Amino acid sequence: MTVEAGASRQRRRRIRKSGLVVAAAAALFAAACTGTDAETDAADATDASSAVPLVVTTTSIWGDVVSNVGCEDSVSVTTLIPQGGDPHTFEPSLRDRETMDAADLVVVNGLGLEERLEDTLEAVAAEGVHVFEVAEHIDTIEFEFSGGHDDHGHDDHDEEDGHDDHDEDDAHEDDHDEEDGHDDHDEEDGHDDHDEEDGHDDHDEDDAHEDDHDEEDGHDDHDEEDGHEDDHDEGHDEDGHDDHEDDDHGHMDDDHADEDDHGHDHSGGDPHVWLDPQRVAGVLGELADELIHAGADADTVNRCLDSYREALEDADAEIAEILDAVPADRRILITNHDAFGYFADRYGFEIVGTVIPSLSTAAETNPALLEELAEIIEHEGVPAVFSETTHSDADIQALATAAGNINVVQLLTGSLAPEGEDGDTLIGMLRFNAQAIADALG
């Protein structure tokens, strides 16, 4: 009796506990099915985000263009090369590869601009990711290396877009003579995990110009962090991505190997197409088609396309007006590397020399070339030379000193300015450069 009574109580306790467990489970199940309003909203936002195509761009410049054509959050844009990084020398990490593999569309400049990304881009495309090369759809300027001069074929692009008042028919179209030199400036590439020691260690320079112009360990001596001039200086040159071990990238030897006679093959199209707003405006239609094909809303993209195209055309007119301050006989440029061919072609300037006579910053100058440029500056009465935010200004500063302490003016080329500063969009970049050039030469 006592045993049975005890057993009966134990059974009742077990039943009550089981009932509580079942009730608790039922309550949790009901809550999971019902959910809170916040949870429902979060789930809806996640679903909406996943419906927007992911577009990966190589540079901040094309990231801005894609964001404008795919405005109103119709696309999600990720940029590989960090702000201030040099697209000529940037090397991708494994994470960058994963980002591209996950993309619905990858937008690249092309024409060798992202020279150390090319192998990865080919591999990504082989895996089925669509890669859109912008420059393939633009009327480009051919660049031909002819021993001592870098010749942009400007005859074919003579001020076709309405700036006849800037045509320089008196020899400012044909002669973008670039003095000869080396093609190996040490350049940081944009990733901490790739150690670049003193430039290109695996590119032995047999011509004895390494020591004079070695860009040492990320150009830390040119870091500037305060103010617009400083922020556009080498301080955000590579955004802290100083380390690239060239030994890990065997393809670089073929692309950048130097020879004693400077016999590099630099023939081909100039990749710096974004420095002409009319050329950018002309490719927006193809870009819009790519975004729509990737899954962006067609109505939104077409509306954004029309608005951005108009903005670029307005910017083009504004830039021409800014540059009206520069008289014809002072429309002469000496730049860090050969990046301003499209600008010169559009607005009637002549490039009489570059410190690095190459379309790539992954190149090098030499003392003889700097001496020759100093003579040109004196002969032409050039009041200023132009450096870049994405590359060391050591050599061009030396040139300016040798030429009589003329001004060195910094321009934006391969990267936008930091967010919130002048030049943090493509249109802002173009305006900033035009104003800086007008102020220096006007």
Side-chain angles (χ1 to χ4, degrees):
M1 293 282 300
T2 303
V3 173
E4 290 178 358
S8 177
R9 284 195 297 272
Q10 289 175 351
R11 284 195 296 272
R12 285 196 298 272
R13 282 197 296 269
R14 284 197 295 269
I15 290 170
R16 283 197 296 270
K17 290 180 180 178
S18 298
L20 290 173
V21 171
V22 170
L28 289 172
F29 178 75
C33 292
T34 304
T36 65
D37 291 340
E39 289 169 342
T40 302
D41 291 343
D44 290 344
T46 301
D47 291 342
S49 175
S50 63
V52 173
L54 171 62
V55 181
V56 174
T57 67
T58 52
T59 69
S60 57
I61 296 160
W62 290 116
D64 178 62
V65 173
V66 170
S67 295
N68 277 280
V69 178
C71 69
E72 301 177 18
D73 296 323
S74 58
V75 297
S76 175
V77 180
T78 296
T79 297
L80 293 180
I81 302 174
Q83 183 277 321
D86 187 342
H88 292 292
T89 55
F90 173 84
E91 294 184 23
S93 67
L94 291 176
R95 180 172 295 179
D96 293 326
R97 170 63 192 270
E98 292 171 357
T99 300
M100 287 186 278
D101 283 336
D104 296 292
L105 174 66
V106 176
V107 176
V108 306
N109 186 87
L111 284 181
L113 180 78
E114 306 97 337
E115 51 197 274
R116 299 185 190 180
L117 263 167
E118 289 179 351
D119 289 349
T120 303
L121 290 169
E122 289 177 3
V124 167
E127 292 295 321
V129 177
H130 186 53
V131 177
F132 177 67
E133 187 172 320
V134 178
E136 285 186 349
H137 304 271
I138 290 179
D139 181 23
T140 58
I141 294 174
E142 289 301 307
F143 178 89
E144 297 178 358
F145 185 79
S146 57
H149 304 286
D150 300 338
D151 183 19
H152 285 93
H154 288 186
D155 292 340
D156 296 333
H157 305 284
D158 181 25
E159 312 304 319
E160 295 169 351
D161 300 310
H163 292 300
D164 295 336
D165 52 332
H166 298 292
D167 285 344
E168 300 301 320
D169 294 331
D170 50 352
H172 287 308
E173 299 162 352
D174 306 325
D175 304 328
H176 293 277
D177 295 339
E178 311 294 277
E179 321 306 333
D180 191 11
H182 273 299
D183 294 86
D184 311 28
H185 252 313
D186 304 334
E187 192 60 41
E188 308 74 24
D189 300 325
H191 279 294
D192 295 338
D193 52 346
H194 299 292
D195 190 17
E196 175 107 14
E197 301 172 359
D198 298 334
H200 302 290
D201 293 342
D202 57 339
H203 300 299
D204 292 338
E205 303 300 321
D206 297 331
D207 45 21
H209 298 302
E210 277 182 357
D211 295 336
D212 294 334
H213 305 285
D214 197 7
E215 305 297 325
E216 297 175 2
D217 293 328
H219 308 295
D220 292 338
D221 55 332
H222 300 291
D223 282 350
E224 304 289 29
E225 297 177 356
D226 35 3
H228 183 83
E229 290 182 358
D230 299 333
D231 282 332
H232 295 320
D233 204 353
E234 202 61 23
H236 61 266
D237 187 305
E238 303 308 329
D239 263 4
H241 302 280
D242 300 329
D243 304 321
H244 287 75
E245 183 64 47
D246 285 349
D247 294 336
D248 293 336
H249 302 277
H251 63 281
M252 289 164 48
D253 286 342
D254 296 332
D255 294 339
H256 306 295
D258 243 51
E259 295 149 37
D260 292 332
D261 60 358
H262 314 284
H264 316 288
D265 181 11
H266 298 300
S267 300
D270 182 345
H272 305 91
V273 293
W274 63 89
L275 292 174
D276 177 354
Q278 284 290 345
R279 281 180 166 89
V280 175
V283 78
L284 295 184
E286 288 88 343
L287 177 59
D289 290 342
E290 295 291 339
L291 298 182
I292 293 169
H293 182 73
D297 179 72
D299 291 339
T300 302
V301 169
N302 286 324
R303 183 169 61 252
C304 298
L305 165 65
D306 292 339
S307 176
Y308 190 51
R309 183 181 283 140
E310 182 177 352
L312 283 169
E313 290 171 352
D314 290 345
D316 180 47
E318 181 182 352
I319 290 165
E321 185 175 352
I322 291 170
L323 295 171
D324 280 342
V326 184
D329 62 348
R330 291 172 71 92
R331 290 180 172 243
I332 296 172
L333 299 177
I334 293 180
T335 61
N336 182 62
H337 87 291
D338 209 330
F340 283 86
Y342 291 99
F343 171 88
D345 181 66
R346 179 67 189 155
Y347 301 110
F349 280 73
E350 179 186 3
I351 301 173
V352 297
T354 58
V355 171
I356 306 171
S358 171
L359 292 172
S360 172
T361 55
E364 191 171 89
T365 189
N366 63 76
L369 175 58
L370 294 180
E371 183 177 349
E372 185 176 353
L373 289 174
E375 293 174 359
I376 292 174
I377 290 169
E378 182 178 0
H379 181 266
E380 298 288 346
V382 177
V385 291
F386 298 94
S387 64
E388 304 172 58
T389 62
T390 51
H391 193 268
S392 169
D393 66 350
D395 290 324
I396 203 164
Q397 289 285 358
L399 169 63
T401 300
N405 292 315
I406 64 171
N407 292 328
V408 176
V409 178
Q410 197 169 58
L411 302 178
L412 296 163
T413 52
S415 174
L416 300 179
E419 186 175 356
E421 296 187 12
D422 289 343
D424 63 352
T425 66
L426 172 60
I427 289 176
M429 165 194 269
L430 297 173
R431 286 196 190 109
F432 175 84
N433 285 348
Q435 192 63 62
I437 290 170
D439 291 344
L441 302 180

